[in-house]
Amino acid sequence: MYQALYRKWRPKTFADVIGQEHITETLRRQVAEGRTSHAYLFTGTRGTGKTTCAKILAKAVNCEAPVNGDPCGKCPSCAGIDSGSFLDVLELDAASNNGVDQVRSLRDEAVYSPANVRKRVYIVDEVHMLSTAAFNALLKILEEPPEHLMFILATTELHKVPATILSRCQRFSFRRIRPEDVAKRLRFVAEQEHIGLRPDGAELLSRLADGALRDGLSLLDQCAAAGGTIDAAAVLDVLGLAGNLQTARLMELILNRDAQSALLLLDELYKGGKDMGAVLSELSTLTRDLLLQKTAPKGGAALLSGGFDAAALDRLGKNVPAGRFLHLASTLQRASAELYASVNRRLDTELCLLRLCDESLSGDLTALEARIARLENSQTARAELAQRPAAPPPLEQTPPPQKEAPRNSPDPPPWDEPPLPEEPPIMEEPGQRVYDIPEDAPPPKPPKASPPPAASAAPAKALDGGWWRTLIENCKNRLSPMYRPFLGMCSGFLEGDLLTVCAPDDLTLSRLDNGRVRETLEQEAESLTGSPVRLALRTGEPPKAAPEENLKNLLAFSRQFDNIEIKE
């Protein structure tokens, strides 16, 4: 009859136990020196060797010829305990014998001396399942047991064991077995069983075991049943983990902020029968792996779940800050916790995906932090751009003629700049020009001062109102209405082939600092100047004009009033 690998290769001595040397060495020395306790408490996660060590200890204290604290495995006592024919060593399951009556019956039988061995040993597995009355019934015999009696309690949930029981036992904490130790043991078992296990397959199985050697042997047994060589691809295929590729694809869409494609892929998974809770759970596991790979790229391989390829993790986590993964992990955890009480699980999952793609939809400080991070990144890019050497000035270009605004045009929207005041109608007479100026017309304003010449090779030249307004109007016609009010609040100046757009504050700068707006400004400026233009965004006012340029502008402005006759 076939026997499962984890039962067939269960350790028989303390030396065979993997990854628990801090416990096995202590127990071997106690047995060798005859200083064993009457009550032990073994704690730890599943598959780490608690029950195995309890059986080895029960054989060791009753062995007729122990070897350095290990049972010989050949004497009648060891053989009887292994076969289960000796009733003096009894293994109980507290999950099914948790009543006070069962514990009282056990206490009444424990006072009798053993029939075949030196010590009567009771191994109580999952002891945290006992009721409060059962614990109280067990308490007295644990406090004052007979010399021939030993209790070995095992549990995976230490916090459920009363403190009165803990204080009467020697406690040993079993830790998770390291993946390299699990892989070594799997390769040994595969060699003995003539199973073709490849190193990459053993490494993947060791990570999937999650620190439990029993789980690793069970997975190896399942993969061996499929036949053939067991490598990483075969493990993913046999264990049904090939669906993780879709989870990785969904994570890639989330990191790229492609909400539409992410929702479409979720719809495919939903139609294929995928549970929404499983989707969030797999995304949470992948996010944890990405975060560990990001924060501990060299030493974190042992902490990974094993369901995703290391190369895929490197590709997904490239150029993504660790703070983004922290936001993804916390959002997924909250959504998973709320999914059990959800009325519409699919809708809640879709809302979670939208929040993952866009942090501003979270409604908490995460949205503000994301905007600040993008603003800091844009400021760094501008600082790097400012450090580049200035390009040689382009050839003098003649600005294109300005189109006259139509008369009686409708009022512009509130976010646009106000149009220039229209000139009064001209009345031509022989030898002079007469302007019909209304009485309530405001006095003419001097033109805006030009910025002072820069210290670079190409002096800074402020863009006149018509040129800059034409540029802004052309950009507004091509961009979304959300950018129009911010463009209207900006000013610009040209320095060689560098067009600098000055925003009044950081909020305006953050709204305009994106690829779409930059590309539109550069293209429209190039169409107006006739040569390629580089773009820089910053906050503040444009440079003020030099005094001599102000004088020139004032003189030019005064000349237009020569030979003007004002009618009364």
Side-chain angles (χ1 to χ4, degrees):
M1 182 178 179
Y2 180 76
Q3 192 174 20
L5 292 181
Y6 80 90
R7 295 183 57 195
K8 183 178 181 180
W9 292 97
R10 170 171 283 180
K12 303 296 183 181
T13 62
F14 289 121
D16 295 337
V17 180
I18 304 297
Q20 309 295 344
E21 290 78 9
H22 64 293
I23 295 176
T24 56
E25 290 298 327
T26 302
L27 294 178
R28 289 174 64 181
R29 182 169 298 180
Q30 286 185 354
V31 173
E33 297 177 0
R35 301 176 59 181
T36 56
S37 176
H38 67 283
Y40 291 89
L41 178 61
F42 293 164
T43 68
T45 186
R46 81 277 183 267
T48 54
K50 300 184 298 296
T51 306
T52 298
C53 286
K55 292 182 177 181
I56 295 174
L57 180 60
K59 289 193 299 181
V61 296
N62 289 307
C63 182
E64 299 177 4
V67 181
N68 296 327
D70 280 328
C72 65
K74 300 177 181 179
C75 65
S77 297
C78 292
I81 294 174
D82 284 337
S83 62
S85 58
F86 286 0
L87 300 181
D88 296 322
V89 177
L90 187 61
E91 182 178 356
L92 301 175
D93 180 19
S96 56
N97 298 278
N98 55 3
V100 63
D101 295 334
Q102 288 87 352
V103 175
R104 286 175 179 174
S105 175
L106 180 149
R107 184 186 60 185
D108 295 339
E109 295 176 359
V111 298
Y112 297 106
S113 300
N116 305 104
V117 292
R118 290 195 297 267
K119 283 199 171 185
R120 183 188 296 271
V121 181
Y122 288 102
I123 302 174
V124 184
D125 199 10
E126 302 297 336
V127 70
H128 64 273
M129 299 293 291
L130 292 179
S131 62
T132 303
F135 272 123
N136 293 333
L138 186 63
L139 184 61
K140 184 62 177 178
I141 196 170
L142 279 179
E143 185 178 6
E144 297 178 357
E147 294 184 1
H148 62 269
L149 186 62
M150 174 184 289
F151 280 96
I152 304 177
L153 313 179
T155 180
T156 57
E157 301 183 26
L158 180 63
H159 59 281
K160 294 184 179 181
V161 180
T164 52
I165 300 294
L166 295 177
S167 62
R168 288 166 172 80
C169 301
Q170 285 191 11
R171 185 171 60 187
F172 291 89
S173 298
F174 287 71
R175 58 194 179 194
R176 295 181 185 271
I177 305 175
R178 297 180 300 176
E180 52 267 27
D181 294 336
V182 175
K184 182 179 179 180
R185 182 66 175 179
L186 292 180
R187 288 194 297 268
F188 172 76
V189 173
E191 182 180 356
Q192 299 298 319
E193 294 290 332
H194 304 288
I195 299 174
L197 179 62
R198 299 288 295 275
D200 58 340
E203 181 182 359
L204 179 56
L205 288 174
S206 64
R207 294 202 306 268
L208 292 174
D210 194 21
L213 182 57
R214 182 176 63 209
D215 291 1
L217 290 172
S218 298
L219 293 175
L220 175 62
D221 204 355
Q222 181 178 350
C223 293
T229 303
I230 302 176
D231 54 5
V235 171
L236 293 176
D237 187 28
V238 173
L239 300 182
L241 298 177
N244 287 359
L245 299 177
Q246 292 179 318
T247 305
R249 172 60 180 162
L250 184 58
M251 177 60 71
E252 183 179 5
L253 296 175
I254 291 173
L255 296 178
N256 292 335
R257 306 184 188 278
D258 191 352
Q260 178 180 350
S261 301
L263 292 176
L264 291 176
L265 180 55
L266 180 66
D267 181 65
E268 293 180 6
L269 296 175
Y270 179 80
K271 292 178 180 178
K274 190 78 171 183
D275 181 65
M276 295 294 99
V279 172
L280 295 182
S281 177
E282 292 175 4
L283 282 176
S284 180
T285 302
L286 178 56
T287 304
R288 174 185 175 274
D289 288 350
L290 289 171
L291 181 60
L292 293 175
Q293 188 80 354
K294 191 73 175 181
T295 56
K298 295 183 179 179
L303 305 176
L304 301 179
S305 63
F308 302 92
D309 184 57
L313 295 178
D314 292 336
R315 180 177 57 83
L316 288 175
K318 188 177 181 181
N319 299 329
V320 180
R324 179 85 190 279
F325 292 131
L326 288 175
H327 166 66
L328 296 180
S330 59
T331 304
L332 286 169
Q333 288 293 98
R334 289 195 301 269
S336 299
E338 298 170 357
L339 199 63
Y340 292 100
S342 172
V343 178
N344 192 334
R345 296 166 62 90
R346 180 182 181 181
L347 176 59
D348 285 349
T349 306
E350 291 172 343
L351 295 178
C352 177
L353 284 185
L354 293 177
R355 289 192 294 268
L356 295 177
C357 293
D358 187 359
E359 297 93 335
S360 61
L361 301 177
S362 300
D364 53 10
L365 293 178
T366 306
L368 181 59
E369 292 175 357
R371 293 181 57 188
I372 293 176
R374 288 198 293 268
L375 182 59
E376 291 176 348
N377 293 336
S378 62
Q379 290 177 350
T380 304
R382 289 194 302 275
E384 294 177 354
L385 183 61
Q387 294 176 358
R388 297 180 181 177
L395 298 177
E396 187 68 22
Q397 301 290 337
T398 303
Q402 304 296 326
K403 295 182 179 180
E404 184 178 357
R407 302 286 184 174
N408 301 325
S409 59
D411 294 335
W415 52 78
D416 287 344
E417 292 184 351
L420 291 176
E422 296 181 0
E423 294 182 354
I426 300 175
M427 298 179 60
E428 297 185 358
E429 293 184 2
Q432 65 178 356
R433 294 182 301 167
V434 180
Y435 285 76
D436 187 7
I437 302 177
E439 295 180 358
D440 57 345
K445 297 181 180 179
K448 294 184 179 180
S450 302
S456 59
K461 181 177 66 174
L463 303 179
D464 59 88
W467 194 96
W468 175 250
R469 185 167 295 102
T470 302
L471 174 64
I472 293 301
E473 290 300 329
N474 294 343
C475 292
K476 287 180 179 178
N477 294 334
R478 294 179 54 185
L479 293 173
S480 173
M482 64 178 295
Y483 299 112
R484 295 177 182 174
F486 299 101
L487 282 172
M489 293 187 290
C490 296
S491 58
F493 65 91
L494 190 63
E495 185 177 5
D497 66 337
L498 179 63
L499 173 61
T500 303
V501 178
C502 301
D505 50 43
D506 290 339
L507 176 60
T508 304
L509 184 66
S510 66
R511 288 298 184 184
L512 300 181
D513 191 10
N514 64 75
R516 176 61 177 167
V517 176
R518 282 177 170 271
E519 181 182 0
T520 305
L521 285 171
E522 290 176 355
Q523 292 177 356
E524 292 298 330
E526 182 178 353
S527 65
L528 293 178
T529 60
S531 62
V533 175
R534 296 184 295 118
L535 180 67
L537 300 175
R538 68 176 180 84
T539 56
E541 296 293 333
K544 296 182 179 179
E548 57 272 14
E549 293 189 4
N550 288 333
L551 180 58
K552 293 179 182 178
N553 294 331
L554 183 58
L555 291 175
F557 177 75
S558 64
R559 290 193 189 98
Q560 64 180 331
F561 297 102
D562 295 344
N563 301 323
I564 295 178
E565 179 182 350
I566 302 176
K567 288 185 176 182
E568 295 183 357

